[in-house]
Amino acid sequence: MGDVVSSHLDENRREMITARTRGVMKEFSDVYEQQYAVALFNSVRFEIEGGGGTQSQLLHRKDPLAGRLIFSGSLFQYLEENRKWRNRFVSVPNSYAVNLYESKTAHERGLHPKVTINCAGYKALTSMEEYIELINTSLPGIKAKMGSNPFIKCATQFPLILWHPYARHHYFCVMTEKEQKKWHAVLQDCVRHSNNGLSEDCTVQTPAFTDAVRRHRQAEGHYGTWDMMCGAPPQILANLVMETLHPDLRNVIGPRLKGKMQQRQRNWMLISDAVYRQVLSQTTARYDALVEACEAQRAPLDARLRTDMDQIITSKEHVSGKIRALVLPKAEQLLRNNVQPYISSILEALMEPTSRGFSEVREVFFREMVEISKNSLNGGGKDKLGDLMERLSMLAFHPVKMQSCYEKVEQLNLEGLQQRFDVSSPSVFISRAQILMREQMDNSVYTFEQLLHQSLEAQGENDMCKTIQRCQDRVLKKYDYDSSTVRKKFFREALLQIIIPYMLQQLSPSCSPELPRFKELIFEDFSRFLLVENIFEEVVLQSVTKDIMMAVKEAAVQRRHNLYRDSIVLTNSDPNLHLLGETPPVDWATKFGDDEREGSLGGGIEGGGSGRRRRQVVSMIQLDGLPLAYESCLEVPGVDLIPEEEAEVSEEKREDGGEDREDPEPLESPKSPDSVNEIRGLINPIVEVEPESEEKESDTTNGTEPTAGFIILEDGLQEQVTHVTTKVEDIPRKSPQDKMSPQTMLQQLVGSKKQEARKELEEEVAIKNAIEETEIAVQEDGTGRIAEVFAAAESDSESSPPPPPATDSDRHDDSGFQSPTNEKLEEGVAQPITNGLGGEDKIIDPVEVEVILA
């Protein structure tokens, strides 16, 4: 491998690569220094004049992934050195770099990873056919035939490939299709985050860099969107160099490669990777030096701007008026003939999949809310609620659960418009929309956490379900407004990204030669902050902005895609909510955890043993149903913060004999219940009537079995029934056609118990009345009256059948009353008779009767 690279990249060729990189960086540095001063002027002006967009209704989390490991698991990696497959433990930190370790033990010991992959610019593939199609374009004239074997033989039928146009490719595989889908979602999430672009917090460096790259590519004749505008600035600059260097090297080195077709393709990829690494190292060093030099000049430039801001703005308005008079007539004609007829179709192509994606985000969030409500109604306890809230807090960063949302946007298709407006591919817009969807999901989750925590602190944990429902409704309303605002902003920016490069390309040949004469209108002291090229682009932008705003506004009025109109303003609708954004995140594991166990583990952060651990991993990838010897994705203990699918976790626990064996079968999540009562009606009672084994069935047949659960009453309230005891043979048997649901059967059993308790109460009241009559008769009449009463009692007892012998179960039942005894008073034993209603016990002793008679 080294011989191939060294033979084709000799010292002369490496010097040529260095010279080409130096030339590109020199041109870029000149443009960057100009754009840096312009960006500083715009930043200071915005700071002085103020302004901004609409206020967000949802709260924003500052650092949601602080201290967290995002993904972990194991898969097979292809090693090009020995052409073999090896099992690797994969760990993805919050930087979304893919770290590959020799084993899980090496990761736990803190050793350096074998390989670290920065996914910026990569594509995640799941088939060798798709990969072969891409590598066929790497060398002209060298294409693999359909059905030919690739130079890599995958160990399984489920490959995972990271492809890059310039850098090294990475090959993985897993054992099952289900596992492949999960890992593909993980890799796509890493690529999506790495391609997200530069941070908007850098209000000077970021716009200066993006404008410099755009201006440099426009000088080369490239006006449209660029797929390789991804990664850190040194990576983007390396892609900028490789955009022109790569074709030249391919034309020179490609014909000299020897061997079979697959071997030549493999050798060319190794050479391309070596060139890319050399260019990247040089762009990194030169860009760091460039930024350092510009930052050193920032302080004097900032002081001059703040001193002469009014004069600079006046001068800019004067020059803008002159350029507007030159450009507007041409721009309006171009806009009327070649742009306006296509705005509505472009907007519709963007709105349809994007709105479906944001609607899916709302549905995923609502389903998680239903799970929390079900836990509250079914008495899941504080520990269960804490686990659910911990999972919910990282929902936006769970690739598998968010995959259904991302797939909606991937259907975006700009076919027919790409060639007209020089749009290379819709991937730029798809990636941006997916990032916005993830941000909205995290904002919704964070807002719900803060509202729920505030409500629990103020009202306690009573009536948890209603509290959750109120917080959920508030968050969903805020999400509807914010998602509408975010989508409209996304549509406007996307339209500008599509239309403005096209208009600049059409207007530049006629307008650019006229621009140098406007430099004479700018004072020399202000020439660093006012560039006629930038003013020209601003004039073109202003000419099309009105039409774009009107198109988006008309779409909002139609309400086809759940967009709010601009006249609906919700600013300051919940002023106290934004005060919660300054509070630290809620630690649900500590709030609802076991204090003793958490105390023994040092506050519940991380510990060993059987105690509770604070989980620091958002998601893990594991293989189901295969023996350990062939397992390619091992389970990481204590990191199941968000299980991939709830049903799978329940099945695994049942197979392991866990506590979930007696849990009811989960229901499908509803679409959108409007009240707490509708959610309560969807919850199954926790009751088991079917025996789990033959041994248990024999026990319940001969004895009794306590059951417990919740009954949803007609008025919407719930009543908890505990220790409902009955015999199995007492349950009425019905035909298979008349099978009752567990809830109906439980209601019938409780109803029969209530009837029995009511009868016993009536009997006790009757006996109590008879005893009171006896006491009154003893006090008033003496011997004659008491004798008549005893005689009547004896005659009644002889006429009625004898009662069954009293047992403990007869004396104590679940109704809350104590059954009276039926033994005769003449036996000389004092028997208490309790009314069961809170009164004193009435005791009649025959000895006391004899004293009264005497």
Side-chain angles (χ1 to χ4, degrees):
M1 179 181 67
D3 295 338
V4 173
V5 176
S6 59
S7 61
H8 292 280
L9 294 180
D10 54 10
E11 190 67 24
N12 294 331
R13 192 156 286 142
R14 288 185 179 274
E15 291 180 358
M16 184 270 292
I17 295 173
T18 301
R20 180 73 68 89
T21 305
R22 187 186 302 115
V24 173
M25 288 300 300
K26 178 64 172 62
E27 296 174 0
F28 173 81
S29 299
D30 295 340
V31 180
Y32 181 82
E33 290 177 355
Q34 296 176 355
Q35 297 300 322
Y36 186 89
V38 175
L40 182 61
F41 163 70
N42 293 330
S43 176
V44 174
R45 181 180 182 182
F46 181 82
E47 178 185 346
I48 295 175
E49 296 181 352
T54 57
Q55 181 181 359
S56 172
Q57 295 296 305
L58 296 171
L59 300 178
H60 297 266
R61 195 178 345 220
K62 295 182 180 178
D63 193 2
L65 297 176
R68 290 188 181 269
L69 185 69
I70 312 237
F71 314 117
S72 66
S74 297
L75 44 70
F76 294 106
Q77 181 194 15
Y78 179 77
L79 304 181
E80 296 185 9
E81 294 78 9
N82 53 17
R83 300 186 181 183
K84 293 183 179 180
W85 293 87
R86 289 291 182 268
N87 197 345
R88 290 287 184 258
F89 181 79
V90 182
S91 173
V92 181
N94 54 8
S95 62
Y96 282 88
V98 179
N99 295 328
L100 303 175
Y101 293 87
E102 188 75 27
S103 63
K104 180 187 171 185
T105 305
H107 167 68
E108 293 176 346
R109 292 173 58 187
L111 301 180
H112 291 287
K114 286 284 186 180
V115 179
T116 297
I117 305 174
N118 187 322
C119 294
Y122 278 90
K123 289 184 179 180
L125 311 176
T126 57
S127 67
M128 294 300 298
E129 291 77 11
E130 188 177 3
Y131 177 68
I132 292 175
E133 184 179 353
L134 287 174
I135 64 175
N136 281 340
T137 61
S138 59
L139 280 175
I142 304 178
K143 296 184 179 181
K145 299 180 181 179
M146 296 300 295
S148 61
N149 295 326
F151 57 87
I152 293 178
K153 295 182 179 180
C154 189
T156 68
Q157 300 178 356
F158 309 102
L160 290 160
I161 304 172
L162 286 175
W163 176 86
H164 194 280
Y166 312 127
R168 177 184 178 182
H169 303 167
H170 300 276
Y171 313 96
F172 309 98
C173 68
V174 290
M175 300 295 294
T176 64
E177 182 180 2
K178 178 180 177 181
E179 200 179 13
Q180 183 190 39
K181 292 180 180 179
K182 292 180 179 180
W183 271 112
H184 186 234
V186 170
L187 295 178
Q188 279 187 319
D189 210 26
C190 294
V191 172
R192 184 182 304 111
H193 184 273
S194 302
N195 293 348
N196 187 27
L198 306 180
S199 175
E200 297 180 357
D201 297 334
C202 301
T203 57
V204 178
Q205 292 184 11
T206 296
F209 181 84
T210 54
D211 288 343
V213 172
R214 180 175 51 81
R215 296 294 303 277
H216 183 274
R217 296 190 74 248
Q218 287 179 2
E220 300 293 332
H222 304 292
Y223 282 85
T225 58
W226 188 33
D227 291 342
M228 299 307 295
M229 186 75 177
C230 51
Q235 291 175 293
I236 298 175
L237 292 175
N239 297 334
L240 191 66
V241 175
M242 294 294 291
E243 188 176 20
T244 57
L245 178 62
H246 195 261
D248 294 342
L249 289 177
R250 184 178 58 188
N251 295 332
V252 174
I253 299 177
R256 299 182 181 181
L257 295 175
K258 299 179 181 180
K260 295 182 179 180
M261 173 189 59
Q262 292 86 353
Q263 186 64 30
R264 283 183 288 171
Q265 290 178 338
R266 182 172 179 270
N267 292 340
W268 168 245
M269 286 186 291
L270 295 175
I271 296 172
S272 176
D273 176 65
V275 174
Y276 183 75
R277 285 187 282 109
Q278 178 183 346
V279 172
L280 180 60
S281 64
Q282 296 175 3
T283 55
T284 301
R286 293 183 178 276
Y287 177 74
D288 293 341
L290 175 62
V291 172
E292 184 178 357
C294 291
E295 288 296 322
Q297 302 177 5
R298 180 167 181 171
L301 291 177
D302 185 271
R304 182 183 302 177
L305 280 171
R306 297 182 184 276
T307 303
D308 302 331
M309 178 60 70
D310 293 338
Q311 292 85 345
I312 297 176
I313 294 176
T314 303
S315 178
K316 181 179 180 180
E317 292 297 330
H318 177 67
V319 177
S320 298
K322 298 293 184 179
I323 296 179
R324 191 178 296 110
L326 171 68
V327 175
L328 276 185
K330 301 178 181 179
E332 291 178 353
Q333 181 179 3
L334 177 66
L335 183 66
R336 182 171 54 256
N337 297 333
N338 299 338
V339 176
Q340 285 181 348
Y342 301 97
I343 291 181
S344 59
S345 58
I346 299 174
L347 184 59
E348 185 65 26
L350 292 170
M351 292 176 64
E352 184 69 25
T354 305
S355 297
R356 287 201 302 266
F358 276 84
S359 298
E360 183 67 16
V361 170
R362 193 183 194 276
E363 288 296 323
V364 172
F365 175 77
F366 178 78
R367 287 197 293 267
E368 295 296 322
M369 295 296 99
V370 171
E371 290 297 325
I372 297 177
S373 299
K374 288 166 62 177
N375 169 73
S376 176
L377 287 175
N378 285 338
K382 295 169 60 177
D383 289 343
K384 182 66 174 177
L385 179 60
D387 291 339
L388 291 174
M389 292 302 300
E390 282 287 318
R391 298 174 185 177
L392 180 68
S393 64
M394 290 291 104
L395 176 61
F397 304 95
H398 192 283
V400 178
K401 290 195 173 184
M402 291 293 295
Q403 185 64 20
S404 61
C405 308
Y406 297 150
E407 289 176 351
K408 302 291 184 182
V409 187
E410 289 175 357
Q411 301 174 5
L412 192 151
N413 184 13
L414 298 178
E415 186 177 359
L417 301 172
Q418 295 180 206
Q419 295 180 353
R420 172 176 292 275
F421 294 99
D422 195 16
V423 179
S424 58
S425 70
S427 60
V428 175
F429 309 107
I430 293 174
S431 179
R432 180 57 182 167
Q434 291 172 342
I435 292 295
L436 294 174
M437 290 160 55
R438 185 175 68 184
E439 292 177 356
Q440 288 299 298
M441 174 65 84
D442 187 57
N443 294 342
S444 302
V445 169
Y446 180 59
T447 305
F448 176 79
E449 287 183 293
Q450 295 296 329
L451 289 176
L452 180 60
H453 182 258
Q454 183 189 45
S455 301
L456 294 179
E457 292 290 334
Q459 305 174 7
E461 299 177 11
N462 298 327
D463 206 352
M464 182 80 72
C465 186
K466 288 186 177 179
T467 302
I468 294 174
Q469 181 71 17
R470 285 195 296 267
C471 296
Q472 168 194 312
D473 292 342
R474 291 178 64 184
V475 172
L476 289 178
K477 291 179 180 178
K478 296 177 184 300
Y479 172 82
D480 292 338
Y481 177 81
D482 274 14
S483 66
S484 173
T485 303
V486 169
R487 278 181 290 154
K488 288 191 292 185
K489 182 181 178 181
F490 167 73
F491 296 148
R492 290 192 292 265
E493 292 177 350
L495 287 173
L496 290 175
Q497 282 183 301
I498 295 173
I499 296 174
I500 293 300
Y502 170 77
M503 295 190 65
L504 291 176
Q505 187 176 14
Q506 300 296 321
L507 295 174
S508 293
S510 59
C511 296
S512 295
E514 302 290 335
L515 294 180
R517 62 186 179 89
F518 294 104
K519 295 181 180 180
E520 301 174 357
L521 304 177
I522 302 175
F523 292 105
E524 185 177 357
D525 294 340
F526 303 157
S527 60
R528 296 195 61 180
F529 310 112
L530 301 178
L531 300 178
V532 293
E533 293 83 1
N534 290 68
I535 298 175
F536 165 68
E537 293 180 353
E538 290 180 4
V539 171
V540 176
L541 176 66
Q542 294 170 1
S543 66
V544 72
T545 299
K546 182 179 179 181
D547 294 275
I548 292 177
M549 296 289 290
M550 289 298 299
V552 176
K553 184 176 181 180
E554 291 176 359
V557 171
Q558 295 175 2
R559 304 293 296 275
R560 292 182 55 188
H561 301 286
N562 297 324
L563 294 174
Y564 285 141
R565 290 174 292 178
D566 294 335
S567 59
I568 301 178
V569 180
L570 298 180
T571 54
N572 298 326
S573 61
D574 200 349
N576 295 328
L577 175 62
H578 288 272
L579 298 178
L580 297 177
E582 302 175 358
T583 60
V586 182
D587 190 350
W588 296 103
T590 302
K591 181 177 179 60
F592 292 101
D594 190 343
D595 295 337
E596 297 181 358
R597 286 187 293 177
E598 290 175 0
S600 64
L601 298 177
I605 297 178
E606 273 198 8
S610 60
R612 184 183 183 91
R613 294 185 61 186
R614 286 284 309 283
R615 304 183 180 103
Q616 299 296 322
V617 178
V618 175
S619 174
M620 67 175 180
I621 306 298
Q622 66 182 39
L623 184 63
D624 305 324
L626 290 181
L628 185 62
Y630 298 98
E631 200 166 29
S632 63
C633 289
L634 306 178
E635 179 179 356
V636 184
V639 298
D640 53 341
L641 183 57
I642 304 182
E644 315 303 346
E645 298 177 9
E646 293 291 341
E648 297 175 10
V649 177
S650 301
E651 291 176 1
E652 292 172 3
K653 290 185 177 180
R654 290 190 178 93
E655 292 174 359
D656 297 336
E659 297 179 355
D660 286 2
R661 183 180 298 277
E662 297 181 1
D663 287 348
E665 184 177 357
L667 295 176
E668 294 182 0
S669 300
K671 284 293 182 181
S672 178
D674 297 330
S675 65
V676 182
N677 296 336
E678 293 185 17
I679 296 180
R680 289 176 173 175
L682 297 170
I683 311 303
N684 280 337
I686 305 178
V687 59
E688 289 286 339
V689 296
E690 297 182 1
E692 297 182 3
S693 62
E694 296 180 359
E695 181 180 356
K696 187 172 182 180
E697 184 176 1
S698 61
D699 294 340
T700 55
T701 304
N702 298 328
T704 60
E705 179 183 1
T707 58
F710 288 93
I711 300 177
I712 309 301
L713 303 180
E714 295 180 357
D715 55 358
L717 301 178
Q718 67 177 7
E719 179 181 350
Q720 185 175 7
V721 183
T722 58
H723 305 296
V724 180
T725 307
T726 183
K727 294 182 179 180
V728 176
E729 56 265 21
D730 294 338
I731 300 176
R733 304 293 183 179
K734 292 190 176 183
S735 62
Q737 292 79 7
D738 298 329
K739 286 185 178 180
M740 294 183 295
S741 65
Q743 185 172 356
T744 305
M745 186 176 297
L746 180 61
Q747 291 178 352
Q748 292 186 1
L749 292 177
V750 175
S752 62
K753 285 296 178 182
K754 287 184 178 181
Q755 293 179 0
E756 294 177 3
R758 190 177 295 107
K759 291 181 180 179
E760 294 177 357
L761 177 61
E762 294 176 355
E763 293 177 359
E764 292 179 7
V765 173
I767 295 174
K768 174 179 176 295
N769 294 335
I771 293 174
E772 291 178 352
E773 292 178 0
T774 303
E775 292 178 351
I776 295 173
V778 170
Q779 295 176 2
E780 293 180 356
D781 298 338
T783 309
R785 179 62 179 166
I786 191 65
E788 293 177 2
V789 174
F790 281 151
E794 290 178 358
S795 62
D796 294 337
S797 63
E798 292 175 357
S799 61
S800 61
T807 61
D808 293 338
S809 61
D810 294 330
R811 291 192 179 96
H812 302 279
D813 61 7
D814 296 327
S815 61
F817 302 104
Q818 185 174 355
S819 302
T821 60
N822 293 322
E823 297 180 2
K824 295 182 180 180
L825 299 177
E826 289 87 350
E827 295 180 0
V829 181
Q831 298 291 342
I833 301 177
T834 307
N835 57 18
L837 300 175
E840 297 180 356
D841 297 337
K842 302 298 182 179
I843 301 176
I844 301 297
D845 196 336
V847 179
E848 296 180 359
V849 176
E850 292 179 0
V851 174
I852 295 174
L853 294 177

